[in-house]
Amino acid sequence: MGKLANDPAPGSPELPASAGGRWPSHAVAGLTVRKAMEIPALAGARLLAGEDGLDRVVQRANIMEVPDILPWVKPHELLLTTGYPLRNTPQGLPGLVAELDARGLAALAVKLHRYLDALPEEMVHEADRLGLPLLLLPDAVGFDDILNQVLTGVLNKQAAALERSWEVHHALLSVVLEGGGLTELVTKTSAVLGVPVMVTTADGRVLAEGGNVDDLASWRHTPCFDTSGRFRTEYEPGGVHSHVDVPGWHAVVSIVAGRVDHGRIVAFARHRALDDADVNVLERAATVAALAVNKQLAVTAVESKYRGDFLRDVLSGRAGDRERIVAHCESLGWDVGRDLVVVVAELDPENGPAASSGLQLRPVQERFTVAWQSVVQRRDPRAAVVGFAQEVVALLPVGPRPDPEAVVRDAVRQVTGDGGGGRRSFSTGVSRVVDDPSRLPVGYEQARRAVDVGRQMNGRGSLAHFDSLGSFRLLSQIEDREELRGFVRETLHGLAAEDDPEMEDLRHTLKVLLDTNLNVAEAARQLHFHYNTLRYRIGKLERMLGPFTTDPELRLDLALALKVLQMRGLS
């Protein structure tokens, strides 16, 4: 992966300062009821109930004096009324309060006048229970004054928020225009919000992060992330939300360019609730992040082609002698002068049509390559990982006491992650240990053979080491399936029946006998049979197959036929 230039140019615009070091709450939505009560026209209003709802947001104000006010109520509204429409409410005043709260009303302000002497205690109690601010207005106040002053306050607030939002957008955009990448972008965004921020791929691989290191580490240990460090995007919808088993709040916004889903930008807050204003900043940052991602993809595409062409030459034996290979790999940041295993990972064919959504993901092979690069380079930055048209090839180092399968198994586990995010299953093959770069072509062929045979032996998602293939390596090279089927039928006779439970049971008995080298006592123990029962079964098998207990050539044929059934999935 190429490193983009990320030194900020002198004089780059600073993000506008915010009170308390973060974006102010409700900057975009409007006035809170608490702030609205501070305007001159509401200075004499008395709060009767609903103190818990003073942080509700007012986006509009309305005057309503018709008998049935409910059909005209809108969310986030400060409703001004008199006692006239309240005097004959069919559902009763407590029921009216519940209906108004359900419709998202911000607050209800009442001038009693001559139609209603006082608001009933039941109504006040219900408003207090629901946290719906209920204001009693003095007779002298004019509705038009309240309306004008509230709307002026809302418009001024929104205008200031939009201006500030543009300043934020300009400052974040300058990060990319001046050569910065995702790391600089999330660092700036974190400084605005005062909380940790991450950018991930569409399936949750963390690409960049900004904010307090300890906070970032603590969030990685929450159920929002799986054990591989992947943000579990399949369980994280867009917007602000929290989980019962996760402290604090987090906000998620998609990074989209055109119709392509490039990933997520996520903000985490442990000690305060995130709101619409935080989401607005993340949306601005996501727009800029899409530019940074596209820029990085363009650079990476060129570098990946150059690296891929060279590694393809190495694996085909056309890259020159050992010294040239090692020196050129060194210039690419790879260390191939050590003990390695060649790993080939190949996506399994899809069983059916892929599920479609409104957004397109980057090509699946590209995302598969990025996942492998992310996992391997986190383990060893000098390990080579390249994506070809149909496979990913990685040259993984092994230690002084090599356990290649454990090394690869750990990498596969991390690439697979939690199994979520819409990723496809894949099969993996591992070569023998390669102790010299000149032997990499041999290792590559071994790993490719392990992928093919492993998938035939174990199905989708297999992990196979070349040394574990044994005779399967030879059988896999026979492409004529009918020839193999004919060999199975001629060797196993009736025992080759695929849909007969009794024949399947006898095949298992035969396999155990062959695996134990015809040790009847040990085979009986493994099969949980009485010794005489197994002797009876051996006689039955010999009547069907021939004298395999005394004919070593027949035993070899039978063992190969059973392996064909296992490898080709014919049984």
Side-chain angles (χ1 to χ4, degrees):
M1 298 280 283
K3 179 176 175 58
L4 298 175
N6 53 27
D7 294 329
S12 61
E14 293 298 324
L15 292 171
S18 62
R22 61 169 297 270
W23 186 261
S25 297
H26 312 295
V28 175
L31 295 174
T32 63
V33 177
R34 191 187 310 276
K35 287 292 184 182
M37 290 180 66
E38 296 175 4
I39 67 174
L42 287 176
R46 183 159 62 95
L47 181 66
L48 296 181
E51 184 176 0
D52 291 343
L54 288 179
D55 287 327
R56 293 190 183 207
V57 178
V58 177
Q59 292 181 323
R60 57 178 64 87
N62 196 9
I63 302 171
M64 199 76 65
E65 292 193 88
V66 296
D68 187 7
I69 62 177
L70 280 175
W72 313 101
V73 171
K74 295 182 175 62
H76 302 294
E77 186 173 77
L78 171 62
L79 180 60
L80 308 173
T81 188
T82 66
Y84 176 74
L86 303 180
R87 53 194 177 128
N88 294 316
T89 304
Q91 68 271 55
L93 292 180
L96 175 65
V97 168
E99 289 279 2
L100 292 173
D101 179 70
R103 291 169 186 259
L105 189 73
L108 176 63
V110 181
K111 186 191 293 186
L112 293 176
H113 206 44
R114 65 178 181 273
Y115 298 106
L116 199 63
D117 295 331
L119 298 178
E121 288 297 323
E122 295 85 354
M123 178 182 183
V124 175
H125 176 75
E126 183 67 6
D128 208 39
R129 185 184 71 82
L130 296 172
L132 176 66
L134 181 58
L135 309 179
L136 184 61
L137 301 175
D139 292 341
V141 69
F143 279 171
D144 57 338
D145 292 334
I146 298 175
L147 191 67
N148 289 334
Q149 292 179 24
V150 168
L151 291 179
T152 299
V154 169
L155 290 175
N156 288 341
K157 191 81 170 177
Q158 292 181 346
L162 289 173
E163 181 179 358
R164 178 178 168 80
S165 180
W166 167 246
E167 292 175 359
V168 169
H169 179 73
H170 177 65
L172 294 176
L173 184 61
S174 298
V175 172
V176 177
L177 295 179
E178 293 166 1
L182 292 176
T183 299
E184 291 72 27
L185 178 63
V186 294
T187 300
K188 287 276 191 181
T189 307
S190 175
V192 175
L193 298 177
V195 298
V197 177
M198 291 181 182
V199 169
T200 78
T201 61
D203 65 349
R205 310 286 172 189
V206 177
L207 299 176
E209 56 189 21
N212 183 274
V213 175
D214 293 336
D215 286 346
L216 289 166
S218 65
W219 276 102
R220 284 180 179 275
H221 288 90
T222 67
C224 294
F225 293 81
D226 68 18
T227 55
S228 70
R230 183 183 66 85
F231 182 64
R232 302 173 70 181
T233 52
E234 64 272 23
Y235 302 118
E236 301 292 347
V240 176
H241 53 280
S242 62
H243 300 302
V244 175
D245 52 351
V246 179
W249 297 75
H250 45 287
V252 181
V253 171
S254 295
I255 300 173
V256 178
R259 299 295 300 169
V260 179
D261 183 358
H262 286 294
R264 305 288 182 271
I265 184 166
V266 192
F268 302 94
R270 194 175 295 275
H271 302 298
R272 70 172 179 86
L274 297 172
D275 53 33
D276 289 342
D278 299 305
V279 173
N280 180 263
V281 173
L282 289 179
E283 288 172 346
R284 295 284 185 175
T287 301
V288 179
L291 294 175
V293 169
N294 277 328
K295 175 183 174 183
Q296 184 170 324
L297 286 174
V299 174
T300 301
V302 175
E303 292 185 346
S304 295
K305 185 179 186 308
Y306 178 70
R307 292 172 175 226
D309 288 346
F310 180 72
L311 187 59
R312 188 177 286 107
D313 287 344
V314 171
L315 298 178
S316 62
R318 299 194 306 265
D321 57 22
R322 182 186 190 283
E323 288 70 23
R324 183 178 183 277
I325 293 173
V326 172
H328 198 89
C329 286
E330 188 71 26
S331 71
L332 297 175
W334 298 338
D335 181 4
V336 297
R338 50 183 172 169
D339 289 351
L340 304 167
V341 289
V342 181
V343 177
V344 172
E346 187 179 289
L347 288 167
D348 294 322
E350 289 189 291
N351 288 332
S356 60
S357 62
L359 293 176
Q360 302 172 6
L361 294 173
R362 284 154 55 192
V364 63
Q365 184 66 25
E366 181 183 327
R367 289 182 283 124
F368 185 50
T369 301
V370 169
W372 269 97
Q373 289 172 336
S374 174
V375 168
V376 172
Q377 290 176 358
R378 191 163 57 235
R379 177 190 182 96
D380 188 332
R382 294 176 61 77
V385 185
V386 170
F388 295 146
Q390 302 294 330
E391 63 193 12
V392 174
V393 179
L395 308 182
L396 298 188
V398 293
R401 299 178 60 187
D403 184 3
E405 286 195 59
V407 172
V408 179
R409 193 179 302 112
D410 182 60
V412 168
R413 178 186 61 81
Q414 293 186 54
V415 173
T416 306
D418 191 43
R423 288 185 304 283
R424 293 243 307 266
S425 69
F426 60 92
S427 298
T428 311
V430 189
S431 73
R432 291 171 175 158
V433 175
V434 176
D435 57 5
D436 188 281
S438 64
R439 293 186 53 77
L440 285 173
V442 175
Y444 176 56
E445 289 303 319
Q446 291 174 352
R448 290 187 63 187
R449 177 59 58 189
V451 171
D452 293 339
V453 178
R455 186 183 282 132
Q456 292 178 53
M457 289 170 54
N458 304 313
R460 299 162 60 87
S462 68
L463 170 59
H465 192 285
F466 183 76
D467 279 338
S468 68
L469 302 181
S471 58
F472 288 112
R473 302 207 314 263
L474 300 176
L475 293 173
S476 68
Q477 296 184 49
I478 303 174
E479 297 298 333
D480 190 342
R481 290 177 64 89
E482 283 306 315
E483 180 66 27
L484 289 171
R485 287 179 184 274
F487 174 75
V488 170
R489 287 193 299 267
E490 293 167 9
T491 305
L492 296 181
H493 303 288
L495 212 62
E498 300 180 40
D499 53 357
D500 188 331
E502 181 184 359
M503 295 300 102
E504 182 178 356
D505 187 40
L506 284 173
R507 281 199 305 272
H508 180 61
T509 300
L510 176 62
K511 182 178 184 304
V512 173
L513 282 167
L514 296 175
D515 289 346
T516 58
N517 199 25
L518 298 183
N519 185 326
V520 179
E522 175 60 20
R525 186 189 67 80
Q526 291 187 22
L527 292 167
H528 306 290
F529 288 163
H530 188 276
Y531 184 88
N532 290 336
T533 301
L534 184 55
R535 294 300 309 177
Y536 169 77
R537 285 198 166 210
I538 292 173
K540 186 174 182 179
L541 286 169
E542 288 198 310
R543 287 192 295 274
M544 295 177 64
L545 306 173
F548 67 89
T549 57
T550 58
D551 186 345
E553 292 296 329
L554 178 56
R555 288 201 297 274
L556 176 60
D557 289 347
L558 293 172
L560 287 174
L562 292 175
K563 285 182 180 292
V564 171
L565 286 177
Q566 178 184 346
M567 185 184 70
R568 297 291 180 175
L570 302 178
S571 60

